Amino acid sequence: MSDFDFDLFIIGAGSGGVRASRIAAAHGARVAVAEEHRLGGTCVIRGCVPKKLLVYGAHFAEDLDDAAMFGWDVPEKRFDWAVLRDNVMAEVSRLEGLYGETLTNHQVKVFKERATLTGPNHIRLASGRTVTAGKILIAVGCRAALPEIPGIEHAITSNEVFHLERMPKRVVIGGGGYIANEFAGIFHQFGAHVTLVNRSDTILRGYDEQIVDRLVKISVAKGIDMRFNSGFQAIEKQDDGSLLCRMKGSADIVADEVLFAIGRLPNTEELGLEQLGVQLTDRGAVVIDQDFRSTVPSIFAVGDVTDRIQLTPVAIREGQAFADTQFGNKPTRVDYGCIPSSVFSHPPIGTVGLTESQAKNKLGVVRTYTSDFRPMKNVLAGRNERSLYKLVVDDGSDEVVGIHMIGPDAPEIMQAAAIAVKARLKKADFDATVALHPTMAEELVLMR
Ligand code: NDP
């Protein structure tokens, strides 16, 4: 037994913090976690989970239209935002409860208040109490960045978007990344006119260009106004309550809501880190080594606050590796290779490994295979939307080094396909696999 109150004190009960706390506790450590908002963090409370439920809800707009060609007589459809919003929030609360139960079941002491650091082993809680811990884990995540423009107080971020009182008729979205494209699809399906404003000529930078190009074409065909090389000068609230966006690079826009999704910044402000000598990057991220240790030996960090790969499953892996290494006598490092990711746009994108241009830069000669097809369901429904699958293959080794897909269920298919890329399977292995017919995924083994 050490002289400290706890062996491990974690600040932040999100994906990384909760995983680290329950694993460390299971290894026998005396663990406490402080959370100033709600248990579950960004993913559960104001991110992946409620977003995915909205994506499901949004899909009914097209499914109900398509149903007629499948013989269903659907009376005129009508969408009630308040019903969906409240059901989603109830589910979020249920999950929050489960997170609390998990922590309690593992004897993790939960402080539902803000915590700051006052020493390498000292934590001050908002209530005034000071506790000590042998090790401290910073798992406080990120917050939405906002541009510094006049009238920014009228805009919302992904925090507020789940709680809107009513569905806006006109939405302007600033940014061209994950959140912007996901919410462009969601709002559009719910009947809003959406304008997506991107500062450069590329959205979803880092994704395969052909796939991104397909999303742009489909989004524009659906009626989403996509503006490129364009930015905001100011937002002015007008007498009728609408918001006038003064733009540069394109015409001004009048909207009911303005959502910014221009990236997320680490939540390290006023935690007391710098005073202790914890090195931060210029964006405020905690600088860590391969074992998540900061420049102060007793202080560690995992997840978004390290500003490397801002994805929930990565934070969970990091929390697990940290706890196994520090408290389980099982030194573990996270393998960051071939992490699959998805954009839950309409239609969604799934990707793993290298894009064509990344592969060319890294490997020299590459082969690409594409399948550009109209899913069977879309054909019968009379929907013109085409899917695009792409394999990137290292010409020398025949290894499939990247898979990129846009189309219905692409994320679901990608999770399985990512195993093949992670396992460094060859194009010949794909060719040798018999197709599962009739599916969309069979295209993956039919590209020649
Ligand atoms: P992203 O990093 O995905 O995209 C940010 C976008 O905003 C880019 O298009 C970027 O343009 C643009 N941008 C950046 N700074 C400015 C600025 N000052 N003015 C105007 N535009 C700007 O950020 P998100 O906020 O969408 O998401 C944050 C993170 O959350 C993601 O990186 C992702 O890791 C995670 N996330 C993951 C999801 C998933 O897995 N499905 C879903 C939602 C979020 P440019 O390309 O020119 O830099």
Side-chain angles (χ1 to χ4, degrees), residues 35-55:
E35 171 58 60
E36 63 179 329
H37 299 302
R38 296 174 67 183
L39 300 179
T42 301
C43 174
V44 175
I45 305 297
R46 63 193 93 85
C48 325
V49 170
K51 179 277 306 289
K52 186 72 188 281
L53 292 170
L54 293 191
V55 169

Side-chain angles (χ1 to χ4, degrees), residues 5-6 109 111 113 116 123-131:
D5 299 327
F6 299 100
K109 170 81 182 151
F111 294 99
E113 55 189 311
T116 50
I123 304 103
R124 187 167 36 233
L125 297 161
S127 56
R129 181 175 164 192
T130 295
V131 295

Side-chain angles (χ1 to χ4, degrees), residues 2-43:
S2 71
D3 292 338
F4 297 116
D5 299 327
F6 299 100
D7 300 314
L8 172 64
F9 194 100
I10 300 176
I11 307 184
S15 300
V18 168
R19 175 58 68 98
S21 53
R22 78 170 171 81
I23 300 298
H27 287 314
R30 296 168 304 139
V31 182
V33 58
E35 171 58 60
E36 63 179 329
H37 299 302
R38 296 174 67 183
L39 300 179
T42 301
C43 174

